[in-house]
Amino acid sequence: MEFLSSERRISRPYDLSMILRDAAAVCHRRLGGHRRPLLPVWSPLLHLSKRHNHHVVHNRPPFRLAIIGSGPAGFYAAYRVMSRIENAVVDMYERLPVPYGLVRFGVAPDHPEVKNCQDKFTDVASSPRFNFIGNLDIGNDLPLPSMLPHYNAILFAYGASQDRRLGIPGEDQLEGIYSARGFVGWYNGLPEYANLSPRLDLGEEAIIIGQGNVALDIARTLLSDVDRLRKTDITERALAALSASKVKRVRIVGRRGPMQASFTIKEIRELMTLEGVAFEPIDSSLFPRDPTKLPRVQKRLTQLLMKGSSNTPSPPAQKSWSLDFLQSPTSFVGGPPPHNSTRLTAMTFAKTAFQSPDHSDPSAKVQPTGETTTMSTSLAFRSIGYKSEALPGMKQLGIPFDDSTGTIPTASNGRIVASSLGAEGPVTYIPGMYCTGWVKNGPTGVIATTMDDAFASAEAIAGDWEGGISLRDSNVTEPIKGGWDSLKTEAAIRSRQTVSWEDWQTIDAEERRRGQIRGKEREKFTSIPEMLNLLR
């Protein structure tokens, strides 16, 4: 197949009013925060800006884009492309029957403000030039190569379906060990983990491996008063398990020190002010001698950690949490046979130390000291990152995939790098193939950076279309692309019940109705067959 093409970087400056509107309207922290919109959501000024910035290519059929994935990256890219290319039609494919990806299944239930960006995505989906095709697994239900004749471009915007593993003894043999993705998915209603049933009632200790915001979300969920969660969209099954939980102490463990942890100030402060929960002080030797010389964000975080919990419960707290540094996990330990041999009872760790005296550097490295420690626990959560997976059919199309990072190799603007190139020579790209979000960058960034990245990929798509580049390096004589209208017959032949945006709205309404009965925003479906039965 003729896929290679020299790079044609055709970029246009972003329309400032559009960027300000979006950046202000969405949440600003990891997946949250507040800012007042600087402009009305659909102001005349913004409509005018969009009209003046359309990419108009005369004498060509309408542009058709397939987006694989319906999380924030996919929706922001769809919005940008539809704003930039006149009469562009976007078909968004989603493996699950419901949209929004991480916003629906990854955001902590007690952070409802984070999900406000769904309102923006609903506006995008209301366009007659947008089609949502849910419950269709590209690569399995619909072969990826079969999509090529029906689109001018394909944008991969799907997330991470696997979690990273520790690879230490006992990880696969003992009960009581959970992935962060699985536990978060369980309490957020991800169908894949609906039957996880974590045993929170077997002991008072829990250990979380990893010190990012997801680890802190898990700790906060385990330690919160259940009544605090009842009005959120957490599942009823999770509420029942948390009500029976005996967990009173949570350790959040990392290999390095506080200056290398990836949690944010807001998340730490939220845990420190959790009612009825105490924070165990951190060894002062782990902090720089003079925190005032640190960069602003590091300085604020250090001062917050040094100050410790601002919440002094009275009477004394019944629950507590700690940040344990310079500990590298080496094994999961089961109880003595015959009764508890398959259940987790402890974890062992190798103590580490910094290789350099300056441990304020975020990239500072550590090394083993030869000492070990053992921590008792009946629960362990690994929260060391997620990974995306290659889709079936990518290799056939020459689309590269880095299994070690779980990403598709791309340029910063989202163009996918051709897999057949060596280290030397000009960089070439696969025409009409683009990438954004976690499958491009790995599981990192906040909503604002996700939006910027999606916009950059959309700009590359619009620029290439204006320059005559699309799938198979088509030219002005290319036939009209049929998109989903041409593919739905193939999906039907495979007996796959797909879900439209109108179908999703039916599911959404029923979830809200069920939630209203329980005094909460929604009660999510956790079973795909139940969702589909509602639509029949």
Side-chain angles (χ1 to χ4, degrees), residues 369-511:
T369 65
E371 299 178 76
T372 61
T373 57
T374 300
M375 300 181 190
S376 297
T377 188
S378 60
L379 281 172
F381 303 89
R382 57 175 183 267
S383 184
I384 55 173
Y386 304 151
K387 285 179 63 176
S388 299
E389 293 184 296
L391 299 181
M394 279 185 169
K395 188 174 182 180
Q396 179 182 345
L397 299 180
I399 300 172
F401 193 87
D402 188 334
D403 290 311
S404 63
T405 61
T407 59
I408 298 173
T410 63
S412 60
N413 56 21
R415 295 183 177 98
I416 296 178
V417 176
S419 60
S420 60
L421 295 176
E424 300 180 358
V427 177
T428 61
Y429 302 92
I430 304 177
M433 295 283 190
Y434 307 86
C435 194
T436 188
W438 281 12
V439 73
K440 174 189 170 191
N441 305 306
T444 184
V446 298
I447 280 284
T449 56
T450 297
M451 179 185 69
D452 288 342
D453 186 74
F455 280 3
S457 295
E459 288 294 320
I461 292 170
D464 286 351
W465 175 244
E466 184 181 55
I469 298 175
S470 66
L471 283 173
R472 301 177 182 270
D473 221 357
S474 302
N475 54 39
V476 294
T477 62
E478 64 193 7
I480 295 176
K481 306 291 186 179
W484 172 238
D485 290 336
S486 299
L487 286 165
K488 61 176 61 175
T489 301
E490 183 169 349
I493 291 173
R494 292 169 178 266
S495 301
R496 193 66 180 177
Q497 180 183 350
T498 57
V499 175
S500 68
W501 190 257
E502 291 73 19
D503 292 335
W504 151 243
Q505 290 176 316
T506 299
I507 295 171
D508 179 47
E510 176 61 15
E511 288 185 342

Side-chain angles (χ1 to χ4, degrees), residues 175-176 199 202-206 343-346 376-380:
E175 300 172 17
R199 294 297 303 271
L202 297 180
E204 298 184 352
E205 302 273 351
R343 285 218 60 87
L344 176 70
T345 59
S376 297
T377 188
S378 60
L379 281 172

